[in-house]
Amino acid sequence: MLAFDILEYQKRLTKTKQQMAESGIEVLLVTDPANMNYISGYDAWSFYVHQMLIIIIDEPQPIWIGRYQDANGAKITTWIYNENIIPFPDYYVQSSIYHPMDFIAEILKQIGQGNRNIGVEMDNYYFTAKAYERLKYGLPNATFKNADLLVNYVRIIKSEQEIEYMKQAAEIADQAMYKAVESVRVGNRECDTAAAIYHQMISGTDDYGGDYPAIVPLLLSGDNTGAPHLTWSERKYKEGESVVIELAGCYKRYHVPVARTVSIGKPSIQLEKIAPIVVEGLNAVLDAVKPGVTCGELERYWYNCLKKYGIEKEARLGYSVGLGYPPDWGEHTASIRAEDSTVLQPNMTFHLIPALWFDDYGIEISESFRVTKNGGETFTKIPRDLIVQDPFPFQEKGGIIS
Amino acid sequence: MLAFDILEYQKRLTKTKQQMAESGIEVLLVTDPANMNYISGYDAWSFYVHQMLIIIIDEPQPIWIGRYQDANGAKITTWIYNENIIPFPDYYVQSSIYHPMDFIAEILKQIGQGNRNIGVEMDNYYFTAKAYERLKYGLPNATFKNADLLVNYVRIIKSEQEIEYMKQAAEIADQAMYKAVESVRVGNRECDTAAAIYHQMISGTDDYGGDYPAIVPLLLSGDNTGAPHLTWSERKYKEGESVVIELAGCYKRYHVPVARTVSIGKPSIQLEKIAPIVVEGLNAVLDAVKPGVTCGELERYWYNCLKKYGIEKEARLGYSVGLGYPPDWGEHTASIRAEDSTVLQPNMTFHLIPALWFDDYGIEISESFRVTKNGGETFTKIPRDLIVQDPFPFQEKGGIIS
C-alpha cells in the first residue's frame, strides 16, 4: 500500500536527520499528519487523537505511537517494522485523567531518550499547548527545541513521483471545476454545486481514485463573494450573481488547488473591469517564475501590475502546496509575499491565488504551478479567465435545470 | 444567516460566563471552532489560521479576532457588533516573524485585560504549544488557567432547535448510508462508494442541504476492516468481502454519525457469529438509556453482554456528539466507558459505536441517540444489523454494475 518506493521514504528520513543534526536535535517528535505521512507513509484519519512519529537521530527506523485501534492501520500503511509500532490503551483517549503524552514521555524514558535534545513542532495544529506541558512534565531532563516546519522544509522540493501524483490531482481538479461550473445555474442550490464537486473529486478518474482534500470546496455566491472562507449553504443562485469556487484535486494526499469565478449571465460592471486585471497580474507572476527568483520578487510583479490600475491590496499571493491533511493544504513554508526571500528551485510547487476581496464582492482566479528547470509550468488546464455561464441552458429545449 | 435565535446565543453566553465565574476565569479565549460557532454563530473554514473569540466576563459582547480577509465572514455569520470584529493584517499568517498571538496579546492589553485571569483551551487542536508560549510572553501580568472543555460542557445538553437540526442530519445520514450500501458491489471501487456518500451527504434532502462532516466517511474493506480509521482507496470490492462504513449526516454543523457493516454476498463465519452479539450488546445499552444512569453504567451492559460470549475488549463505547468541525465530531466531554461518571440528562446526545476490531477483521454497527425524559431515542432508521448485499444485482437483467 506504500505510495512511494521505500528508498524514497528513506531518503526523506535521511534529509530530515541532516536537518535535525544542523539544529542540534537528537529526537524529533513529528505530530503534523502530513509530516508523519511523508516520512513513514502513515495515512489514516486518526489525528483527532494524539499520535506521533519519533525520529531518533542514531536509530535507523522511526517509531509510531498512537491509539491501540490504529496500530493495525500503521502496520498496513507504513514501512516501519511492527516492533516500532507502539499503541497506547484506549483509556488515554480524550480523558480528563490520562493524557497520551504521559504514555509517550514514559516510552521515551524507557528507551533512553529522556535526557536528549528533543524537537517538537511548536505551531502544529496537532501539538497542543497541553501536549507540550505534559511532555515537559514527563521529561524533566530533556531539552526541548522548536522544530516547527523542519520536515515541512524538507518537503518543499518535490520528487518526480510526487510531481506525477500532483499531475493526477490536477486532472481531478480540472474535472471537478468543470462539474462545478456546469452546476452553477439559476435555481440550483450552492449545496448541489458542492455535491457535484465532491462526487467528481472523490471518484476521481477511471484510472485513479480521488482522495479527500485538506480543505472543503469553498463556494461563495451573491453578497458573500467578499468573504473568502465561507462554505456552501442552501441558497439558490440568481441571474446576474457571481460565484467564487476554490477547490483542489487530491491524489494520494497530494493537492492541486484551483479557483475560478463564474458569472451567471452578464457579469457586473465591477467584475468585467477587475477580471482582466487579475488575469494580467497572474500572467505577469507566472511569466516571471524560474529558478533563482525569490518569492518576494514574484509578489512585486503582481503589486506593480495592480498599482498601474490604482489598486493596492497587501495580502499573501500564494504558498507552497503539496501533501496535506485537514485543516490546510498549504505547507506553511514559503509564501509568495513581499517579505519572503525563499529562492525558487526546480520542483517547488505553489498555489498562486492573488484574490481580491472587497466589502461586497470578490474575485478569485488562481493557478497551481511547479518551478521547472528554466521557468514554470501550471498544473490545471481550465481557461484562466472569468467564466460567464448561461443561466438557463436548458430553457429553449424545454428541459429542466438538472 | 444565524442558525439560532439570538436569544439562544445569549443564553449560551450567559451559561459560559457562569462557568467562567465558577472557575475564577475573567477572560476566556475560545479557539475551538465549534465553541466559537456555539457562542457567536461564526462559521467559516478559516481555522487553519489562528483566530479566537474573546469572552470577557463583564462585557456584554464577545470579541472576534481573526485574519483580515475573514472579518467579512464574521460580520455575515455572527450576531456580534461590527466594532467587536477585529482583524489582523495578512502578514501575521503563517509567518516566521509575526505570530497572531502577539497581535491578540497586544489587543488584550489595550482593552485593559492584560492582568486578569485568562482561560485558554489547553488541549484544543487550534491552540498550539506556540500560541500559548506567545500569549504568555505577550501578557506577563496575566494569570493563565486551563479552560479546556469549559464551553464543550455547556454544549452537552442540546436545545430543542439543536435536536431538530440533528434530526435533519439523521435523515441525511440514513440516505447517505443507503447510497453507500447500494454502491458496495463486486467490481466497484471504494472511492466510488465514497463519492456516492459524499454526493448524498452534501446535497442533503430537497428541504435542507447537507454540510461537510467533521470526519470523512471511513470505508474499510477486505483485509483492512480491522483498521478503523483508514480512508478509501481505488481497490475494487470482491465477492465475500465485508465493508465497514462509518459516516455522519451533518446539518448546520450538527452531526449524526452512523456505522454499518456490509457483507458482499454470504458473510464469513466470523461475521455471522459476531454480528448478533454486537446487536445484542447495542440493544442492551440502548434499553438502559435514561436520565440518571451514568455513562460508566451504560458501558457495563455492553461489557456483560460480551463477557457472556467470552469476549473481552476494553475500548471506548461512545461519546457525546453534536456540533463539530474537523478533525472530530465528538465533543470530547462524556465518553461511554467504565471510568466515566457523567449522569445522563434529557437531550444529551451520543454516538454509541461499540466496534470490535480484531487483527484481520472488524465489525461496526452503531447508533446515535438522544436521552429523552424517560429513556432514549435513536436518530437514524437504517436497520440495526449486519447488511448482506447481493454482489451482482444487475446480472440477471443483463445490465451493468453502476
Side-chain angles (χ1 to χ4, degrees), chain B residues 95-127:
Chain B
S95 156
S96 57
I97 310 162
Y98 305 100
H99 197 281
M101 292 300 159
D102 299 342
F103 180 93
I104 289 170
E106 191 52 42
I107 293 285
L108 283 166
K109 274 191 286 197
Q110 282 178 18
I111 60 174
Q113 306 298 319
N115 55 358
R116 298 192 89 174
N117 291 327
I118 298 182
V120 286
E121 297 175 315
M122 287 295 286
D123 213 13
N124 179 255
Y125 309 110
Y126 299 99
F127 190 65

Side-chain angles (χ1 to χ4, degrees), chain B residues 162-178:
Chain B
E162 287 180 292
I163 295 292
E164 197 50 39
Y165 286 153
M166 289 183 74
K167 285 182 179 172
Q168 289 156 351
E171 237 181 281
I172 296 172
D174 267 330
Q175 293 191 15
M177 185 58 85
Y178 278 113

Side-chain angles (χ1 to χ4, degrees), chain A residues 1 43-48 50 67 69-70 72-73 76-77 90-91 93-95 99 122-133 136 146 189 191-192 194-196 198-199 202-203 205-212 214-216 218 223-224 226-232 234 251-252 314-316 326-328 332 335 337 339 357-359, chain B residues 1 43-48 50 67 69-70 72-73 76-77 90-91 93-95 99 122-133 136 146 189 191-192 194-196 198-199 202-203 205-212 214-216 218 223-224 226-232 234 251-252 314-316 326-328 332 335 337 339 357-359:
Chain A
M1 270 190 64
D43 181 26
W45 191 289
S46 57
F47 39 82
Y48 69 91
H50 291 289
R67 188 178 183 178
Q69 61 183 228
D70 292 319
N72 271 344
I76 291 167
T77 61
D90 224 44
Y91 57 77
V93 175
Q94 299 172 356
S95 156
H99 198 281
M122 288 294 288
D123 213 12
N124 180 255
Y125 309 109
Y126 300 99
F127 191 65
T128 64
K130 186 167 188 182
Y132 187 38
E133 297 285 298
K136 284 192 293 186
N146 184 4
R189 302 176 302 173
C191 59
D192 296 322
Y198 261 117
H199 191 273
I202 303 303
S203 61
T205 70
D206 288 345
D207 295 324
Y208 20 88
D211 211 342
Y212 61 91
I215 303 179
V216 294
L218 298 165
D223 293 340
N224 291 347
H229 294 110
L230 297 192
T231 50
W232 59 88
E234 299 152 336
Y251 187 65
K252 307 252 181 220
E314 283 290 357
R316 189 167 72 147
D328 199 6
H332 295 205
S335 285
R337 59 180 158 197
E339 63 271 26
W357 292 291
F358 302 95
D359 273 350
Chain B
M1 268 189 65
D43 181 25
W45 191 290
S46 58
F47 39 82
Y48 68 93
H50 291 291
R67 188 179 183 177
Q69 59 184 230
D70 292 320
N72 271 344
I76 291 168
T77 62
D90 223 44
Y91 58 77
V93 175
Q94 299 172 358
S95 156
H99 197 281
M122 287 295 286
D123 213 13
N124 179 255
Y125 309 110
Y126 299 99
F127 190 65
T128 65
K130 187 169 187 181
Y132 188 38
E133 297 285 297
K136 283 191 293 187
N146 184 5
R189 302 176 303 173
C191 59
D192 296 322
Y198 262 117
H199 191 273
I202 303 302
S203 60
T205 70
D206 287 348
D207 295 324
Y208 20 87
D211 210 342
Y212 61 91
I215 303 179
V216 294
L218 298 165
D223 293 340
N224 291 346
H229 294 109
L230 297 192
T231 49
W232 59 88
E234 299 153 335
Y251 187 64
K252 306 248 182 226
E314 283 290 358
R316 189 167 71 146
D328 199 6
H332 295 206
S335 286
R337 58 181 160 197
E339 62 272 25
W357 292 291
F358 302 94
D359 273 351

